[in-house]
Amino acid sequence: MSFRTSKQNGVVVVDVDGQLIVGNRQELKQKVLDELEGGERKFLIDFTNTGYIDSSGLGVLVSLSKKIREQSGELRLANLNEDLRTLFELTKLDTLFNIADSRDAALSAF
């Protein structure tokens, strides 16, 4: 389980490798908040290599979305697998987040 950050076209991209769960959610939150405090405002979290997000992981995504919006920023999500898409739809979180099918689609939408 790891998070890798990079920058593409002025967007901070966070790749999540593994599950986003109670044991690592704070690491993701801190990485994004550090970038936000550093002046970054555009964020993309890519879930290509993620098969599972627990309720605490969903909670940290909601928290980050709120904090980023408060700073006039934007958070997008990309590459959710079918199970994760269903999870976001069932929890209505698909109405809160901009979710793209691919990294390129998400990056071009900023």
Side-chain angles (χ1 to χ4, degrees), residues 17-35:
D17 189 13
Q19 301 176 341
L20 178 57
I21 56 175
V22 66
N24 60 24
R25 64 185 160 85
Q26 281 303 113
E27 182 183 350
L28 173 64
K29 185 175 184 178
Q30 196 57 55
K31 281 184 181 285
V32 172
L33 291 180
D34 287 348
E35 297 287 346

Side-chain angles (χ1 to χ4, degrees), residues 3 14 16 19 28-31 34 37 45 57 71 79 84-85 90 97 108:
F3 305 103
V14 182
V16 180
Q19 301 176 341
L28 173 64
K29 185 175 184 178
Q30 196 57 55
K31 281 184 181 285
D34 287 348
E37 289 176 13
I45 300 179
Q71 301 292 320
N79 291 317
L84 292 177
R85 277 265 191 191
L90 290 174
F97 294 101
S108 66

Side-chain angles (χ1 to χ4, degrees), residues 20 47 53 57-58 61-62 77 80-97 99:
L20 178 57
F47 291 100
I53 301 173
L58 292 175
L61 292 174
V62 171
L77 309 179
L80 296 168
N81 68 23
E82 190 175 324
D83 289 341
L84 292 177
R85 277 265 191 191
T86 300
L87 174 65
F88 276 73
E89 289 169 8
L90 290 174
T91 56
K92 306 292 186 196
L93 290 174
D94 60 329
T95 61
L96 175 67
F97 294 101
I99 301 172

Side-chain angles (χ1 to χ4, degrees), residues 26-70:
Q26 281 303 113
E27 182 183 350
L28 173 64
K29 185 175 184 178
Q30 196 57 55
K31 281 184 181 285
V32 172
L33 291 180
D34 287 348
E35 297 287 346
L36 187 65
E37 289 176 13
E40 300 295 342
R41 294 294 179 265
K42 296 177 181 176
F43 296 88
L44 167 61
I45 300 179
D46 190 327
F47 291 100
T48 298
N49 297 313
T50 304
Y52 179 75
I53 301 173
D54 73 4
S55 59
S56 66
L58 292 175
V60 83
L61 292 174
V62 171
S63 173
L64 286 172
S65 175
K66 182 177 180 224
K67 288 184 184 298
I68 290 169
R69 273 187 279 128
E70 286 173 354

